[in-house]
Amino acid sequence: MLSHAFVLLFYITNAIALWPKPVEFSTGSEVLWLDPAVKVILRCNGEDAILTSQSPGFGEIPISAFMSIAFQFGQNVLTRFQGFTWQRRFEESKEALTEASIVQGAVHEAIKSIRDTRYVPWKLHGRHSTFEPDVTAERHHLSMLQIQQSYCPDAESFDPVTFFAADESYDIVIDNATATIQTNGTIGILWALQTFQQLFYAHSSHSGSYLPNVPMRIVDRPKWRHRGLSIDIARNPFLPSDLIRTIDAMARTKMNRLHIHATDSQSWPLEIPSLPDLARKGAYQPHLVWTAHDLNEIQVHGASRGISVFVEIDMPGHTASVAHAYPELVAAYNELDWSTFAAEPLSGQLKLNSSLVFAFVSTLLMDILPRTGRYTSLYHIGGDEVNRAAYLLDETVASDDPQVLQPLLQIFFDHVVSIAYQHGFQPIVWEEMLLDWNLTLPWVKLGGNRTVSTLVQVWRNSERIEEVLKKGHRAIFGDYHHWYLDCGFGGFLNPYPAGKSPVGVPYNTSGGHPSKLKKPYLDYCNPFHNWRDMYTYDPLANISPDLVDNVEGGEVLMWSEQTDSIDLDSKLWPRVAAAAEVLWTGVRDETMLEDASRRLGEWREREVTDFQTAVSPVHMTWCLMEGGCNL
Ligand SMILES: *[C@@H]1O[C@H](CO)[C@@H](O)[C@H](O)[C@H]1NC(C)=O
Ligand SMILES: *[C@@H]1O[C@H](CO)[C@@H](O)[C@H](O)[C@H]1NC(C)=O
Ligand SMILES: *[C@@H]1O[C@H](CO)[C@@H](O)[C@H](O)[C@H]1NC(C)=O
Ligand SMILES: *[C@@H]1O[C@H](CO)[C@@H](O)[C@H](O)[C@H]1NC(C)=O
Ligand SMILES: *[C@@H]1O[C@H](CO)[C@@H](O)[C@H](O)[C@H]1NC(C)=O
Ligand SMILES: *[C@@H]1O[C@H](CO)[C@@H](O)[C@H](O)[C@H]1NC(C)=O
């Protein structure tokens, strides 16, 4: 009986609940308590720098605090503070960000978060079990964290290409009173510190944070370089603070790409200073404009967490909102029935053979690229769901013939891609431009011997990943059968809105679905993709092994027709975290669900307790306590 209890206790204290799962780890069963004055040493080129982990405000991004204030007090604060105050903050953060300041900020945050943790993992242990360390025993302390980087980061500047392209791997060894983190790139330090934080717990009745599995060794590196989340901020209102919060949670799952789908037909919330009417007239409300400063702060915050924040301005489809400012640039604006001219209301597409549109696109890109290029080398050029019928109503072409449209689309994207390359960007395009329209997306040599071609993002189904790879392009996976976070919340689109029967509709491409909404109002990508479904998605299932090396990574996607600031977090989490483990650790399978539910369950409890993120439950508490529900 006693020995049985001992074995169980031993097993439990040896469990290590990291999310995402590291490549290799080994653990012991000794306990170390964090010395509140833990000394942090950064070592590179044989030189030591002592980071005083207790210095206040070190590396914090002031705007986050500001944004959360704005969030609490409502939009007036945001509007009122545009102008001088914004301008100054913008300049401040621009100067503040260097690789060295990122490391210092991350160390400060990690130590603070370990020191302040309130997370007691009772849900992961049997009812009323004794799982915490004996507080009457002598406490051994972890008194030193040493970080060894194989090169010294540039203390003067920040280069997104070097920073994000660096080796992300890290090792952690914890023995006796010392933890040692070893990395090649700065970004590896950020991921190591995220892992490090997950090792500590609070005690339910005594102060201090403890680490139960010493000695410990972790060797870790990501499976894929592009580990992304895409968020559409155009269909419904969102605030910059939503993305700041999301970036923090993403970093805690080691995701490293935030794709902002910034504009769409329904609204244009993104300020473009050289084209101010776009957002002034195209946002749902003046207070819902995302200023250039907001975007800058989000990018800086992302970079400080190891996340490359990049923008998509979808073109030439999905652009009806441009017509509020520039009606002459848009064809088929708000036509009925909309289903002939767009995938969802309202229709409207940039004209395809218009010198005004070319001038507009140049101005737009010359504005957004130099700004966002300070913190990312990615830019998404759009290209999905281009509607042919809309071009019948476009007087510059007046044709829906693919043979007429294809060469014009090629010219349009040559223009966009060449501007992106000139600014040193790696463009990303939706799959249709390559697979349906057969566009040529050339390889280009950028500075520093970087050869890049346009990355192709696949969204319709997994088979298309292989088609992209066969055409010699690198691909990003995440299709709607598995990784769309908006599925299963119900259909809302009636192709013929009430009282708007399609009298005089010039062309019908609806392909035979002029159906009314009907019970139970299913959406096109139902059912809801729960975390287990996302976790067991195998993006490589249909790909021949000689092509898999050209998979760049994937994205999980949040289209926001039925989501806004209020329910964002519970729709994202824990499902984005499930996808994050696929992206970091590699393809998962069903035999891993039991282990995953316990580790993800623990990630969720920590996230809710220490960071107040509204993460939906992963499992029934009884199953977390007892285990075995998934088997
Ligand atoms: C750093 O780079 C070296 C050489 O490429 C490699 O062997 C090592 O695994 C990398 N990672 C760490 C954490 O040192
Ligand atoms: C930890 O302490 C033990 C016993 O004092 C010693 O043998 C071992 O070498 C130490 N480990 C490290 C990494 O310093
Ligand atoms: C594009 O516009 C030019 C004039 O601006 C015209 O000459 C040409 O025929 C148009 N191309 C197509 C395919 O309509
Ligand atoms: C692109 O190529 C495919 C396959 O060859 C063909 O079916 C399709 O019609 C082409 N699309 C256009 C717009 O030319
Ligand atoms: C680019 O490649 C050339 C030839 O291989 C090499 O000499 C040069 O150092 C490289 N430049 C950079 C910045 O890597
Ligand atoms: C559109 O096409 C579908 C399928 O071909 C047909 O059933 C429907 O009646 C058409 N609608 C109109 C308004 O012509």
Side-chain angles (χ1 to χ4, degrees):
M1 178 104 168
L2 255 181
S3 78
H4 178 71
F6 175 78
V7 167
L8 200 69
L9 193 67
F10 185 78
Y11 167 75
I12 288 169
T13 51
N14 274 293
I16 179 172
L18 295 172
W19 192 276
K21 191 173 189 155
V23 172
E24 268 179 51
F25 60 87
S26 59
T27 56
S29 56
E30 286 164 40
V31 175
L32 281 183
W33 293 77
L34 182 79
D35 179 342
V38 60
K39 190 166 160 191
V40 184
I41 295 180
L42 182 63
R43 178 171 297 161
C44 58
N45 283 353
E47 283 187 33
D48 287 353
I50 297 179
L51 304 182
T52 51
S53 65
Q54 283 172 314
S55 64
F58 207 38
E60 280 175 7
I61 307 296
I63 198 68
S64 321
F66 177 71
M67 281 176 170
S68 64
I69 292 165
F71 189 59
Q72 285 164 22
F73 290 96
Q75 284 304 313
N76 289 342
V77 181
L78 268 181
T79 336
R80 211 152 18 93
F81 278 83
Q82 280 165 359
F84 180 71
T85 315
W86 270 124
Q87 190 58 39
R88 235 187 57 219
R89 288 177 176 278
F90 183 48
E91 297 303 332
E92 270 170 12
S93 58
K94 182 177 116 189
E95 281 159 30
L97 196 75
T98 65
E99 289 203 22
S101 75
I102 289 174
V103 172
Q104 288 163 352
V107 167
H108 173 78
E109 297 246 353
I111 301 296
K112 184 174 178 318
S113 130
I114 293 169
R115 226 186 257 145
D116 294 349
T117 185
R118 292 283 164 270
Y119 177 52
V120 175
W122 61 267
K123 275 196 193 176
L124 279 296
H125 297 278
R127 197 180 304 232
H128 309 310
S129 69
T130 311
F131 60 86
E132 295 181 294
D134 176 5
V135 288
T136 62
E138 190 197 346
R139 284 193 182 191
H140 299 282
H141 284 97
L142 181 80
S143 55
M144 175 148 40
L145 168 61
Q146 54 183 20
I147 300 172
Q148 300 177 349
Q149 193 173 1
S150 59
Y151 83 102
C152 295
D154 187 343
E156 302 302 321
S157 66
F158 176 81
D159 173 20
V161 175
T162 338
F163 180 72
F164 289 113
D167 180 357
E168 296 184 277
S169 66
Y170 68 90
D171 300 346
I172 300 177
V173 175
I174 303 174
D175 203 349
N176 302 338
T178 302
T180 305
I181 288 173
Q182 188 132 20
T183 77
N184 293 317
T186 295
I187 203 152
I189 298 178
L190 303 188
W191 304 143
L193 289 169
Q194 293 293 353
T195 299
F196 190 60
Q197 288 172 64
Q198 290 185 7
L199 299 171
F200 289 84
Y201 300 96
H203 195 286
S204 58
S205 57
H206 286 77
S207 64
S209 311
Y210 71 93
L211 157 67
N213 311 101
V214 185
M216 177 184 299
R217 183 163 176 273
I218 298 171
V219 176
D220 205 7
R221 73 190 91 84
K223 166 77 177 165
W224 280 298
R225 181 162 287 287
H226 191 104
R227 305 184 300 278
L229 166 64
S230 170
I231 298 188
D232 155 19
I233 61 164
R235 264 57 175 265
N236 264 325
F238 290 88
L239 299 176
S241 55
D242 297 326
L243 294 194
I244 296 288
R245 206 169 65 241
T246 301
I247 282 168
D248 290 346
M250 286 171 71
R252 292 190 285 266
T253 68
K254 302 188 176 67
M255 289 190 116
N256 66 352
R257 300 283 186 265
L258 177 61
H259 167 181
I260 306 179
H261 180 86
T263 62
D264 213 299
S265 281
Q266 296 75 15
S267 84
W268 186 292
L270 191 69
E271 181 197 35
I272 304 295
S274 57
L275 299 163
D277 280 350
L278 275 173
R280 193 181 293 154
K281 297 184 177 175
Y284 280 132
Q285 281 285 299
H287 70 258
L288 293 174
V289 172
W290 291 54
T291 65
H293 312 301
D294 293 338
L295 180 60
N296 184 76
E297 294 301 341
I298 290 165
Q299 285 195 292
V300 169
H301 192 76
S304 73
R305 297 285 188 273
I307 294 172
S308 169
V309 178
F310 63 97
V311 169
E312 173 190 3
I313 294 181
D314 199 354
M315 294 191 291
H318 293 271
T319 44
S321 60
V322 170
H324 298 289
Y326 305 105
E328 65 281 12
L329 304 183
V330 176
Y333 177 75
N334 200 13
E335 286 290 334
L336 292 173
D337 79 277
W338 58 261
S339 68
T340 299
F341 302 100
E344 72 180 42
L346 65 171
S347 66
Q349 207 156 277
L350 286 179
K351 291 178 183 174
L352 197 52
N353 183 27
S354 150
S355 54
L356 288 177
V357 167
F358 273 67
F360 166 80
V361 168
S362 303
T363 309
L364 179 62
L365 294 176
M366 301 293 204
D367 184 311
I368 190 118
L369 294 180
R371 282 192 282 129
T372 60
R374 295 211 301 269
Y375 305 109
T376 185
S377 55
L378 299 173
Y379 179 72
H380 202 305
I381 60 179
D384 61 324
E385 300 182 319
V386 171
N387 180 292
R388 289 196 284 130
Y391 291 130
L392 275 177
L393 306 186
D394 171 358
E395 75 285 356
T396 71
V397 270
S399 169
D400 66 349
D401 179 354
Q403 303 309 311
V404 174
L405 302 178
Q406 200 270 358
L408 294 171
L409 267 178
Q410 181 72 59
I411 294 169
F412 181 85
F413 277 102
D414 282 349
H415 182 64
V416 172
V417 167
S418 73
I419 298 175
Y421 283 147
Q422 277 161 31
H423 286 88
F425 276 83
Q426 158 78 78
I428 306 177
V429 71
W430 292 110
E431 60 173 78
E432 288 99 313
M433 287 302 116
L434 184 71
L435 301 182
D436 298 6
W437 292 91
N438 310 327
L439 296 195
T440 305
L441 302 162
W443 290 78
V444 163
K445 207 163 192 177
L446 298 177
N449 290 355
R450 273 204 307 150
T451 305
V452 296
S453 81
T454 306
L455 278 172
V456 180
Q457 183 163 15
V458 173
W459 67 274
R460 290 177 297 185
N461 63 55
S462 295
E463 284 73 24
R464 294 181 200 264
I465 300 168
E466 185 167 80
E467 290 180 48
V468 168
L469 300 175
K470 279 185 178 155
K471 292 192 175 221
H473 284 269
R474 294 181 72 78
I476 296 171
F477 58 79
D479 64 76
Y480 71 76
H481 302 283
H482 304 278
W483 272 17
Y484 270 28
L485 295 153
D486 56 315
C487 299
F489 290 98
F492 61 97
L493 293 173
N494 186 342
Y496 301 145
K500 308 271 189 187
S501 59
V503 176
V505 170
Y507 191 82
N508 177 5
T509 57
S510 64
H513 61 88
S515 56
K516 291 262 181 225
L517 272 177
K518 54 174 188 282
K519 216 172 165 56
Y521 312 111
L522 299 179
D523 54 72
Y524 78 103
C525 59
N526 77 90
F528 175 85
H529 305 311
N530 56 61
W531 76 258
R532 289 180 179 79
D533 194 26
M534 295 199 161
Y535 189 70
T536 52
Y537 163 47
D538 179 359
L540 303 181
N542 303 301
I543 302 175
S544 75
D546 55 316
L547 293 172
V548 295
D549 285 348
N550 287 330
V551 175
E552 182 78 5
E555 284 182 13
V556 58
L557 301 100
M558 180 83 260
W559 300 106
S560 71
E561 285 89 345
Q562 305 191 81
T563 299
D564 66 13
S565 277
I566 304 302
D567 66 339
L568 177 68
D569 292 11
S570 59
K571 278 188 175 158
L572 293 180
W573 310 104
R575 294 185 294 156
V576 173
E581 181 157 298
V582 175
L583 291 165
W584 178 275
T585 314
V587 174
R588 317 275 75 206
D589 68 50
E590 288 185 344
T591 65
M592 301 170 181
L593 281 174
E594 173 66 16
D595 167 61
S597 71
R598 298 179 67 76
R599 285 182 300 107
L600 185 57
E602 174 146 347
W603 180 88
R604 187 264 181 177
E605 298 308 317
R606 189 183 287 278
E607 194 66 27
V608 169
T609 310
D610 282 348
F611 307 104
Q612 291 80 48
T613 316
V615 184
S616 298
V618 165
H619 220 332
M620 180 162 70
T621 299
W622 187 87
C623 294
L624 289 179
M625 285 184 151
E626 303 299 328
C629 289
N630 302 278
L631 297 172

